[in-house]
Amino acid sequence: MAGATPQPQYHSLYRACIKDAAIAGGDLMRATLVRALSELPLQAAAIHDVVDRNLLLEAVGVLKERQSALATAFPQALLAEFAQAIAGDRDASLSFDTLPLLGDEQLQENAELVHGAQALEAAVRPQLAALESALAAAHLTPQGGERRHPLRPEVYARSIYRLARQSPVSPAVRRRWLRYLPPLMAPELVHTYAAMAQRLQPPAPSQPMALEPGVPQEARDSATQLTIRELRKLLSGDPGEAADDGVIVFSDSDFSHTVPAALEMVQDMRKVDQLLLQLRQRQAAMPGRGRDSLAAFREALRQEAKRPAQALGLEVVHLMIDHLAGDPRLLPGVRDIVRDLEPPLLRLALVDPRFFSDREHAARRLLEQITQRSLAWSSPEDRGFSTFMEGLQQATEALLDAGGTGPEAFEIALSALQEAWDESQPKGRRNRERAVRALMRAEQRNLLAGRIAQQILDRPDAAKAPPEALAFLTGPWSQVMAQARLADVTGAEDPGGGWWVVQAVLWSVQPALAGRVAGQHRTLVARIDDGLASIDHLPADTDRWQNLLSALRDLALSTATGSALRAHEPEPVPETSNTWLAPIEMHESGFVPDSGLPHGAADPDTLPPHDLEVGAYVDLLGEGWERWQLTWASPHGLLFMFTHASGTTRSMTRRKLNAMMAQGSLRLVSAHPVVDGALDAVARAAWRNSSSL
């Protein structure tokens, strides 16, 4: 799905489906509660444990008391969860790195939530499959997997969790709501899914889209016996469970005492061809190169594990690699490299559990750099990808040949890759640095210009000034005054005499005041020309402003009172942007102007979605779709800069960014590190296993 282009005619229909689903949340919850009050007492009667039976009956009693309030509040909870899911759902989903922070109560609640969500999904699976097929056919599936759409059963279950957390009930009652209520939603959700699938059905038969390559999710999850408690022990470095520092899996490896020659050579990229030849000659004898040998290698390491945490570490690495190798955002060559890294990562996991708990661990940073940097290309044919892969393959081969068990090999491989990548893009690095300097300068000037513009509007003599004159003073002229202040080193109160121009313009365009500055016309024109030249204002725009102000002055002088009709209208106000850049700043940063945006199309004060953070990859639509990375955002959020794999930069205002996202000409590819997502998937599999115990 990563390369599919959404069908525009389905966008509004899809949004309507989501909106209607949220509105229908009240009726859905009312029906669910009626079913709960009828069926749960019968289920309680079948529970042999007296305590559990009474707790379920208590939960039913609280449901009855709060029936109306829960039905009223559920649409808002559902809408909030839809929003979380649309934004990427990372905050709402289980994160690998947050496991050590969860208390026992949270663990129990999440286990009940997972259990309830699974039961709901099982009850609606046929209708869910039909809906997901319709979403795929309309190219509305989110990047990264068919099962990440906001309408999935898990989101409905999480809405109950949100509602339960907001209700004044005991933890014991809340846990039973989380377990028993989601499956009772199934009859209504079946009808909801069927109706949505019908609405999204294309008018003519279309070719079914291929599902995400790799192992099915159910098969992946069933392959692990991880539970959350075990995983949390592994992450916390429990001394009783951690790997034994004295365990050496490969006794023939003396990496901790001497750096292998292969890694010394890879640091000198000029010798890399000789190194690659040597490694290829020994490639057949290396462990884990084929499917059968890799399986045998995993089994051999499992036999070497002497503690439970070691076995768990091996399992986490295997599942993480499995998820990464099935990630459709990674190009096939990169997925092959990831598979090749499994043997050294397995060896590492056996002796160094810090890989899981330390985000700065060399092996984790290496894996993250490989996967994240590879997202800069959407096709193997893209310019620069072959160079990227050459360095990556060379360092990977050397790492495999080293056979070390500690983090040092990964540190050296990472340094070698970083050096190779830096050497291949010196121009790109200089371009980014120059662009950032230009944008920082522009933002600083724009912020100061905004304050000056407000001071101009607050003046008493500005109250009756024509809007065209105010547009000039609060637009280009406030930029001139801001630039003069930033460049001034003398501490002058009014560097450049900008406030004199403000007063002269305001008086010259108002009939009641124009006579006071009637003899200063030529001086005013010269001051304006010099000021606009100081910020490299385009001469054509300068002429248009001068003509407009001249027409306003003529009208003011020829009018006896402010209420007289104008003899002729001045030229239209030149188009301006909330955030202005000088031509040289636009050139250095690849600035995309705001021109062409309909007024009000994107609120300039609206921040982009929280998922669009520095480091995120996006596809931008120009002559075709191109892959860019958000590499810089200004401190005050006025300007954003994207970088292409070629080193080219493109920048835009917040208003332009929001407009492109709303128009669909900017689409998110990856908001968070790929490795983090794979580890989070392992954690979710552990949750599922925990809930089945």
Side-chain angles (χ1 to χ4, degrees), residues 104 129 186 206 212 236 243 293 432 441 492 509 520 536 566 615 664 669 681:
D104 288 339
S206 59
E212 176 181 334
S236 64
S293 60
R432 289 193 300 273
R441 181 171 63 245
V509 297
Q520 300 176 0
D536 297 324
R566 294 179 175 181
V669 174

Side-chain angles (χ1 to χ4, degrees), residues 169-245:
V169 298
S170 68
V173 167
R174 185 162 57 239
R175 287 199 301 272
R176 278 147 187 85
W177 285 6
L178 298 178
R179 175 179 283 260
Y180 289 100
L181 286 183
L184 295 174
M185 284 184 169
E188 283 68 39
L189 203 53
V190 161
H191 293 303
T192 298
Y193 285 166
M196 288 182 182
Q198 184 64 35
R199 290 176 72 180
L200 293 170
Q201 201 67 32
S206 59
Q207 186 69 22
M209 302 197 66
L211 295 178
E212 176 181 334
V215 182
Q217 183 65 47
E218 292 81 359
R220 292 179 183 175
D221 292 347
S222 63
T224 177
Q225 294 305 311
L226 280 176
T227 66
I228 284 300
R229 293 188 185 280
E230 292 167 333
L231 194 55
R232 193 168 58 155
K233 281 186 177 182
L234 178 67
L235 290 172
S236 64
D238 187 336
E241 292 294 321
D244 187 344
D245 292 337

